[in-house]
Amino acid sequence: MVIVGTYTNIDGLFIGNRAGDDGLAAINIAWPIVAFITSLGTGLGIGAAVVINSLRGENENRLAERSKTVALWLLVIGGLVSTALCSAIYSPLLGLLGASGVVKTYAENYSLVISLGALFQVIGAGAVVLLRNEGKTYSALIYTAIGLAVHIGLDFLTVKRFALYGVAAATVVSQAVVAALAIITFLKQKPAEIAGETASDEKSTRLAAKILKNSIAPFGLNFVPSATLLFTNFFALGSGGTAAVGAYAVMSYALYTYDYIYQGVCDGVQPALSYYRGAGDTIEERKTVYKSIITLICLSAAFVALTPAAIVFLPKIFSVSAEAAEMMKAGFIIYAFAYPLKAAVKFTCSYAYSTGKIAVSNIVTYLDPFLFTPISLAILSGKGTSGIWAALPVSQFLTLLAAAGIFLILKFKPEH
């Protein structure tokens, strides 16, 4: 997940030095399209992993094996649908997101290539999750690292001549490489291990429905940062222009790298939580929860400690304007208050969907982007860019309070 989180940072690094604030703003405005595609693949993969490991915990191994084949087909279908959908709507969507002039031209160039290659990105993101769930953690790591190496190499070769077309193509090709390596790994397994019985009967249809149901929350949990980005871009553009969006773009590279690391912890413990819940092993489930919380606390402390270095070095590395660099000073300090809150929210949602509390995970996941973030931004945007940055910790705090309230209600709700 750390490697996945660097993909956009690499694009931003090359484009920031090639096209300045306009290029950074374009990638940031277009990023929700990229995030929708990859979150779809990740969501389907995690939804399948929850079903597979819950079945294994219940000793339903044949159904668990069949679920893998169903999941792979769902990734292909999801990739084809997202290719058609994103290719059709990316241009008007960018206009709705506030892009105009040179920024919109850059964003359209980037989004066109990303949309046409959505199939490979969905399969790549989902297949890596399935590999991790099968215990092939090192394979998933190696394939993702190979994809990153391909990405960097292609960025280096294409950015000067093709600008945003080039970095977008680098993203698609690198994900196609990851998808191919993952599929080859699955095909090398014995047929029974990936197919079980025939996948065209009523049981497979029910499995597909179950996977889709369990995919809603993990899709949202991976997409929520980008939905937040969408609203923040809109208010930042109105408050501070392209410089504010450029500043937010660089800050979001750090923020979403942290997000991916948090998500890596949450996704990493999901197979264990789902298995222990299916097996009814509450002792091991509780141990897994404690270890996860300790890990997230340590990571949050480390990210807060990195704030001074981020303020000094990131504006220089990404070649932002002096105006954007000044905005980032306050931004990084304010965002540091959000890191532990984000970790807590992510783990709460992940724990809920990993243990079968689908309704709870859905509510908590979607409260932030569709209620707390837009309200916080609308109220605090009158304070300038510092108010816009402050909307993040405020919205995360409100989400965490809502999650705690929901769990308390469930705890004391009388059983019938």
Side-chain angles (χ1 to χ4, degrees):
M1 293 303 290
V2 176
I3 295 173
V4 170
T6 64
Y7 271 53
T8 308
N9 301 17
I10 295 298
D11 283 349
L13 181 62
F14 279 96
I15 286 300
N17 286 276
R18 169 71 168 77
D21 286 356
D22 287 339
L24 288 170
I27 287 184
N28 217 40
I29 289 173
W31 181 243
I33 297 172
V34 185
F36 169 80
I37 294 168
T38 56
S39 296
L40 179 60
T42 301
L44 288 171
I46 295 175
V50 170
V51 172
I52 291 167
N53 274 16
S54 295
L55 288 170
R56 285 174 176 161
E58 297 166 8
N59 205 29
E60 293 282 355
N61 293 319
R62 291 178 70 109
L63 281 177
E65 296 305 322
R66 185 186 298 190
S67 298
K68 286 191 284 185
T69 299
V70 174
L72 290 172
W73 279 111
L74 285 175
L75 287 174
V76 173
I77 294 168
L80 292 172
V81 170
S82 61
T83 298
L85 177 65
C86 293
S87 297
I89 69 168
Y90 77 86
S91 184
L93 179 61
L94 292 172
L96 290 174
L97 296 179
S100 61
V102 175
V103 171
K104 186 177 182 183
T105 300
Y106 280 149
E108 285 181 336
N109 295 346
Y110 187 77
S111 300
L112 171 63
V113 179
I114 290 292
S115 298
L116 292 175
L119 171 64
F120 305 111
Q121 297 168 80
V122 170
I123 295 175
V128 166
V129 173
L130 291 176
L131 283 175
R132 290 204 315 263
N133 191 63
E134 294 303 296
K136 300 182 183 297
T137 310
Y138 291 111
S139 295
L141 174 62
I142 291 168
Y143 298 165
T144 308
I146 291 172
L148 179 62
V150 171
H151 193 169
I152 294 172
L154 290 176
D155 270 346
F156 182 79
L157 292 173
T158 61
V159 68
K160 190 172 183 178
R161 182 174 180 183
F162 299 105
L164 277 90
Y165 284 123
V167 296
T171 298
V172 172
V173 173
S174 63
Q175 283 298 295
V177 170
V178 173
L181 291 170
I183 295 299
I184 289 171
T185 300
F186 281 113
L187 292 176
K188 282 183 176 180
Q189 297 176 351
K190 296 176 183 178
E193 290 181 301
I194 63 169
E197 303 168 20
T198 176
S200 59
D201 58 13
E202 186 180 344
K203 284 185 178 180
S204 294
T205 302
R206 290 202 299 268
L207 285 172
K210 196 171 182 181
I211 290 171
L212 290 172
K213 184 178 179 181
N214 279 277
S215 298
I216 296 172
F219 163 80
L221 200 57
N222 282 273
F223 184 67
V224 156
S226 297
T228 302
L229 181 147
L230 184 155
F231 289 114
T232 307
N233 275 334
F234 179 82
F235 282 95
L237 194 62
S239 178
T242 302
V245 178
Y248 178 57
V250 176
M251 289 192 299
S252 67
Y253 293 151
L255 179 65
Y256 295 140
T257 298
Y258 301 160
D259 261 338
Y260 277 117
I261 296 171
Y262 288 147
Q263 197 62 46
V265 174
C266 296
D267 291 349
V269 299
Q270 171 272 312
L273 289 173
S274 298
Y275 180 86
Y276 294 138
R277 178 53 63 100
D281 192 339
T282 56
I283 294 175
E284 288 301 322
E285 180 182 321
R286 196 175 295 117
K287 287 181 181 178
T288 304
V289 170
Y290 291 156
K291 291 176 183 178
S292 304
I293 292 173
I294 291 170
T295 302
L296 291 170
I297 289 172
C298 293
L299 287 171
S300 297
F303 299 156
V304 171
L306 287 171
T307 297
I311 291 173
V312 173
F313 293 110
L314 288 185
K316 298 176 182 177
I317 293 172
F318 286 89
S319 300
V320 301
S321 64
E323 184 182 3
E326 189 63 29
M327 294 176 183
M328 290 167 61
K329 290 181 181 178
F332 272 120
I333 294 172
I334 293 170
Y335 274 8
F337 290 95
Y339 301 153
L341 298 171
K342 287 180 74 66
V345 169
K346 279 187 173 292
F347 183 74
T348 300
C349 295
S350 178
Y351 174 79
Y353 66 65
S354 296
T355 55
K357 296 179 176 65
I358 299 174
V360 175
S361 62
N362 288 342
I363 292 170
V364 175
T365 297
Y366 291 101
L367 270 176
D368 179 23
F370 296 117
L371 182 63
F372 294 138
T373 288
I375 289 176
S376 299
L377 283 167
I379 293 173
L380 296 172
S381 60
K383 304 294 184 180
T385 53
S386 292
I388 292 171
W389 312 148
L392 179 65
V394 169
S395 63
Q396 293 301 294
F397 179 71
L398 293 174
T399 305
L400 194 58
L401 279 181
I406 292 171
F407 275 101
L408 282 174
I409 290 171
L410 290 176
K411 182 178 180 179
F412 294 106
K413 182 180 179 181
E415 295 185 6
H416 298 287

